[in-house]
């Protein structure tokens, strides 16, 4: 039966229910008593064993008995005399049964019929629970959770009219209950609300909401705004016809005493500014809105309201439909308000102190870490914790991001009024004010660096940061200084071949902060070093020994969070320096601590992932300098991939496969031809596992798989020859531009295969692959990299199998040459041009038909910058002369060649002797 637990039993009279005569479904009293006993046992924690047994029986009852949810509904809705905690539990369990799809028709119809009676309950907790049950029922119809037999909101007869009737009630519980439901429906199911069948109901509701803007209850006013703003993105006709009334109503409430209402007004105006900014074209309304939000950002007494108002400024600048100069009259005031908003609040400082204490005693879960995205204000000093931390989006961050976006939009226009205020705050004796000024200068970097250079401000400012502020005794001031220095890393680095005078002091200062006692300062410093490495690159060579010495210390002592960023910095340095890193005195400093970490971390530990990524860059930079470690590294990657592939899908973490594949790619690129011998000597299983990865359901796995395929084609082709057919089939299946990165890598890798495989072994597959490649090439709006790889691969196919590809040349030669024109001059382009030569001899008519485009592609190679191989020059010259000779014989040369651009004609004559 539904309930056999007897602990905490209740009197039968407690479970008598009346008023069910009109209900289609009728409860049996005995079963109702059992459900009551079961619920009672579930809330009785005095006997742990009985409590657990009752909870299990409750779950089993919901799954086993189709009408179990109906009994829960009776307890929740029809038995006001039941104990409060039992009613609440019944409601929660009913909601869960609906959401978990444990109820179906006709029982669900009974719930729909009766649940609305609880929406006007005298107790708020029951009203909210009933609202959750209503939205759970509606949500069953949503895609992708749609299940046969569920009805959409428009077919729930009487739901919206009933809620509208409750809104018109004089009973406060009825009005609040209706809004509890409507808030959930409008937030979670706007698509169902905006269907044509509910248009009249929706229009009546919107009009009613607007009328509630003058309601005496702050909660009702806030709810009314909330529900309407949920319609701004879908913008149904019900809102379109009421949009002006909605906007006027919002503006009329600008002095509302309730902070909840003011917060809703600010959010609504921000959403309107983002996607329906027509109102900004009216000077009067625009001025009113800006003045209101400017005043609110600066003066509102509620922190959250100020924060929501502050969101408006970046929103306006980022919307291209808003006039460019809309904020110009307010810039001096606005930028000062944002500057003043960047000072740490006391709550932030307390939270940061707690975070620092926690990080000083324990590592964080690496699963919660994300690779740093450099150059954005909202990550300016690593305070945004996605899941594991406590710091949330703050007014300080919002103000900094607002200034960043405004600086990029208005550039030097803001400097004249703002710089004196920043300069004054930089000299402040209050470290928090000083810190806000440093933050603001970092926020200005993206938009105003050029203007600051013209004002000759940066040299003295950066010097002040390094010598005057970086040694501060305040950790937060040191950390923000590191971040701001990183924002000017390009300027500080100097010219392409000449290091700037501030580069050495910056490196010294950041390395000092990397060994700081504060975790937060360490984090900011190592992040700044990674940014500097990207900008300075080989200009750092004189400082590399000092950098590596500090990195070695940090590798030994950093905790997980900062270690992840340090791995990124090590990898970035290797990528920046390339083979310059492969010197014994440098390798002997960097590799031992890295290998120690590599050996200490178990295969299944998530902290291994960023280390795998770091090692892939190290391997490529060191090349044969890494040879002594290559065998154990390859074997471990194989082991990790095999273990993950063999795990059940729901347990497998495919990031381990992705990072291991990437490291194998790095190994192949770094070792070059030696990779072939390494794989042969160790009975490698890389290729069989690679075949599995090329067919993996996860896009990231296939993307990295095709990257490894291309690298192995370049370094260990003999290991791929025996499995060419399944490889080429996998390529064919993945030439879908909808999955850009996978398609791009598949495109590139098969080109690498084509130029290193016997033509006979690939000609059949090439014939099938030409069609999807041509389809890609004929879509000029696709990503530039994909178009270039498709063009190169078609050229390589033409080089390997010209007889197969040339039959389609007329279909793709024009877009092909257009893409070849912009491709950089390297060995890949050389292969493509050689393919052009071979196909031209087979299909000269196609070449002649697109002669101007062919000439542009050939002459796009800047021989004065990167000399073309003499072999290719000769092949092109012979082909061009052959074409010219044939056209001259037919009397068509002059007419054909006059269509070629003057610049191309000049190069053809100078380089190839064709006039």
């Amino acid at each position: 039966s539904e309930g056999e637990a007897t602990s905490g039993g209740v009197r039968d009279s407690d479970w008598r229910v009346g008023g069910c005569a009109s209900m289609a479904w009728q409860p049996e009293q005995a079963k109702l008593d059992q459900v009551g006993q079961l619920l009672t046992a579930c809330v009785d924690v005095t006997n742990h064993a009985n409590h657990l047994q009752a909870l299990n029986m409750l779950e089993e009852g919901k799954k086993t008995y189709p009408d179990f949810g109906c009994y829960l509904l009776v307890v929740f809705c029809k038995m006001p005399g039941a104990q409060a905690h039992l009613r609440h539990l019944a409601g929660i369990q009913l909601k869960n049964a609906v959401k978990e799809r444990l109820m179906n028709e006709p029982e669900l119809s009974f719930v729909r019929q009766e649940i609305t009676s609880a929406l006007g309950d005298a107790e708020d907790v029951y009203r909210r629970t009933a609202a959750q049950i209503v939205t759970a029922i509606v949500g069953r119809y949503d895609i992708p959770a749609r299940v046969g037999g569920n009805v959409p909101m428009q077919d729930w007869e009487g739901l919206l009219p009933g809620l509208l009737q409750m809104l018109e009630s004089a009973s406060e519980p009825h009005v609040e209950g209706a809004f509890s439901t409507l808030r959930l429906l409008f937030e979670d199911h706007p698509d169902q609300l905006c269907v044509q069948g509910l248009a009249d109901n929706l229009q009546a509701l919107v009009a009613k909401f607007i009328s509630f803007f003058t309601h005496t209850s702050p909660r009702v006013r806030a709810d009314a705004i909330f529900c309407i703003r949920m319609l701004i993105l879908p913008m149904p006709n019900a809102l379109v016809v009421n949009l002006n009334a909605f906007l006027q109503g919002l503006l009329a409430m600008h002095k509302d005493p309730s902070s909840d209402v003011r917060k809703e007004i600010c959010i609504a105006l921000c959403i309107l500014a983002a996607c329906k900014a027509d109102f900004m074209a009216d000077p009067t309304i625009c001025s009113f809105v800006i003045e209101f939000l400017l005043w609110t950002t600066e003066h509102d007494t509620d922190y959250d309201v100020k924060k929501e108002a502050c969101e408006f400024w970046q929103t306006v600048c980022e919307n291209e439909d808003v006039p460019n100069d809309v904020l110009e009259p307010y810039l001096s005031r606005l930028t000062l308000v944002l500057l003043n908003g960047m000072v740490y609040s006391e709550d932030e400082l307390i939270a940061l102190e707690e975070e620092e204490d926690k990080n000083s005693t324990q590592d964080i879960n690496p699963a919660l870490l994300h690779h740093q995205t450099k150059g954005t204000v909202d990550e300016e000093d690593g305070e945004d914790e996605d899941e594991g931390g406590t710091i949330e989006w703050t007014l300080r961050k919002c103000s900094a991001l607002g200034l960043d976006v405004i600086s990029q939009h208005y550039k030097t226009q803001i400097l004249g009024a703002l710089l004196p205020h920043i300069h004054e705050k930089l000299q402040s004796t209050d470290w928090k004010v000083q810190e806000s000024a440093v933050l603001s200068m970092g926020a200005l970097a993206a938009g105003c660096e050029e203007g600051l250079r013209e004002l000759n401000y940066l040299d003295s400012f950066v010097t002040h940061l390094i010598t005057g502020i970086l040694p501060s005794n305040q950790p937060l001031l040191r950390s923000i200084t590191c971040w701001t220095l990183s924002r000017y890393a390009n300027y500080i680095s100097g010219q392409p071949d000449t290091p700037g005078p501030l580069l050495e002091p910056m490196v010294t200062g950041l390395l000092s902060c990397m060994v700081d006692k504060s975790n937060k300062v360490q984090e900011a410093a190592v992040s700044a070093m990674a940014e500097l490495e990207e900008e300075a690159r080989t200009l750092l060579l004189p400082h590399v020994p000092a950098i590596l010495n500090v990195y070695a210390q940090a590798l030994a002592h950093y905790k997980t969070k900062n270690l992840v960023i340090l791995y990124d910095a090590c990898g970035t340095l290797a990528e920046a320096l390339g083979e310059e890193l492969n010197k014994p005195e440098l390798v002997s400093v960097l590799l031992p601590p890295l290998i120690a970490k590599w050996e200490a971390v178990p295969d299944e530990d998530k902290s291994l992932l960023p280390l795998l990524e770091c090692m892939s860059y190290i391997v490529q930079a060191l090349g044969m300098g890494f040879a002594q470690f290559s065998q154990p590294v390859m074997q471990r990657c194989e082991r990790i991939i095999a273990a993950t592939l063999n795990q059940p899908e729901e347990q497998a973490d495919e990031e381990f496969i992705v990072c291991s594949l990437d490291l194998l790619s790095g190994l192949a690129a770094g070792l070059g031809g030696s990779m072939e011998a390494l794989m042969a000597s160790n009975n490698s299983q890389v290729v069989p596992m690679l075949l599995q990865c090329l067919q993996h359901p996860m896009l990231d796995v296939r993307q990295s798989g095709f990257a490894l395929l291309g690298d192995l084609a370049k370094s260990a082709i003999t290991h791929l020859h025996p499995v060419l057919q399944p490889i080429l089939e996998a390529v064919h299946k993945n030439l879908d531009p909808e999955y850009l990165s996978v398609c791009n890598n598949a495109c590139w890798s098969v080109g690498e295969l084509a130029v290193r495989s016997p033509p006979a072994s690939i000609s059949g597959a090439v014939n099938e692959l030409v069609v999807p490649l041509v389809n890609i090439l004929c879509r000029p709006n696709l990503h530039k990299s994909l178009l270039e790889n498709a063009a190169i691969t078609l050229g390589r196919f033409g080089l390997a199998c010209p007889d197969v590809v040339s039959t389609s040349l007329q279909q793709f030669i024009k877009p092909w040459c257009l893409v070849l024109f912009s491709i950089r001059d390297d060995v890949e382009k050389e292969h493509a041009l050689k393919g052009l030569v071979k196909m031209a001899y087979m299909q000269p008519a196609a070449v002649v038909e697109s002669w101007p485009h062919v000439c542009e592609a050939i002459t796009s190679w800047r021989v004065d910058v990167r000399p073309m191989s003499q072999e290719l020059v000769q092949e092109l010259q012979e082909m061009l002369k052959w074409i010219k000779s044939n056209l001259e014989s037919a009397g068509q040369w002059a007419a054909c060649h006059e269509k070629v651009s003057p610049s191309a004609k000049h190069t053809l004559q100078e380089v190839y002797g064709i006039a």
Side-chain angles (χ1 to χ4, degrees), residues 404-684:
D404 185 330
V405 174
I406 287 171
S407 76
Q408 295 183 60
H409 194 78
Y410 291 99
K411 300 193 180 297
T412 56
Q413 293 182 61
I414 67 175
L415 290 179
L418 184 60
L419 267 185
H421 295 291
I422 294 177
H423 190 74
E424 179 184 348
K425 290 176 182 290
L426 283 171
Q427 315 305 320
S428 174
T429 56
D430 184 338
W431 75 266
K432 294 187 291 296
V433 173
Q434 199 176 29
E435 195 273 350
S436 70
V438 177
L439 169 59
S440 71
M441 284 298 295
L444 290 177
C448 294
E449 181 178 317
E450 192 60 39
L452 291 167
R453 289 190 190 201
E454 292 172 1
L455 294 171
N456 295 318
Y457 189 83
L458 285 181
D459 278 357
S460 59
F461 168 68
V462 171
T463 301
H464 179 60
L465 285 186
I466 296 172
T467 61
I469 300 183
L470 204 55
S472 166
N473 61 0
Q474 291 293 338
L476 292 176
L477 192 48
R478 298 197 297 276
S479 67
I480 198 61
T481 301
C482 291
W483 175 76
T484 296
L485 285 169
S486 76
R487 297 276 283 180
Y488 294 96
N490 179 267
Y491 172 78
I492 295 169
S493 297
Q495 301 301 317
D497 300 318
T498 309
L502 295 169
L503 180 58
E504 182 175 358
M506 179 174 175
V507 171
T508 303
L510 292 180
L511 292 180
S512 174
C513 288
M514 278 188 62
V515 294
D516 197 282
K517 293 181 179 178
S518 164
N519 288 313
K520 192 168 186 60
V521 176
Q522 294 172 9
E523 177 186 355
V526 70
S527 298
M529 277 302 303
E531 186 70 28
L532 183 62
E533 289 163 359
E534 285 197 345
E535 297 294 341
R537 305 191 72 79
T538 54
L539 294 176
L540 287 173
L541 279 173
H543 312 291
V544 170
I547 292 172
L548 292 183
N549 278 322
V550 172
Y551 282 11
Q553 293 178 53
L555 283 166
H557 296 102
Y558 274 14
K559 295 186 180 296
T560 304
K561 181 177 181 180
N562 289 350
L563 201 54
V564 168
I565 307 171
L566 179 59
Y567 291 150
D568 178 61
C570 290
T572 304
L573 183 66
E575 185 183 27
L577 298 181
E579 61 185 16
E580 293 285 352
L581 188 61
N582 190 21
K583 296 176 180 177
E585 66 273 19
L586 301 180
V587 173
S588 64
V589 176
L590 177 61
L591 274 189
L594 268 178
I595 296 298
K597 287 293 182 186
W598 169 265
E599 293 173 345
V601 182
D603 287 356
E604 65 279 0
D605 192 323
K606 283 183 177 290
S607 66
L608 181 64
L609 297 175
L611 181 54
L612 286 165
E613 183 179 0
C614 168
M615 293 286 279
S616 70
Y617 291 110
I618 300 289
V619 169
Q620 290 179 68
L622 297 185
M624 291 307 297
F626 193 81
Q628 62 176 310
F629 304 104
S630 58
Q631 179 178 333
V633 166
M634 184 181 74
Q635 290 174 339
R636 187 174 190 184
C637 287
E638 290 183 13
R639 187 171 73 238
I640 292 170
I641 294 171
T644 311
L645 287 173
N646 290 328
Q647 285 180 324
E649 186 176 341
E650 63 277 6
Q651 296 178 14
D653 185 348
E654 287 80 2
E655 278 298 308
F656 282 97
I657 300 178
V658 171
C659 291
S660 297
L661 288 172
D662 291 345
L663 179 48
L664 288 172
S665 286
L667 204 58
L671 296 181
S674 299
M675 185 70 176
E676 194 160 77
L678 176 66
M679 292 172 66
S681 64
N682 289 279
N683 192 27
S684 170

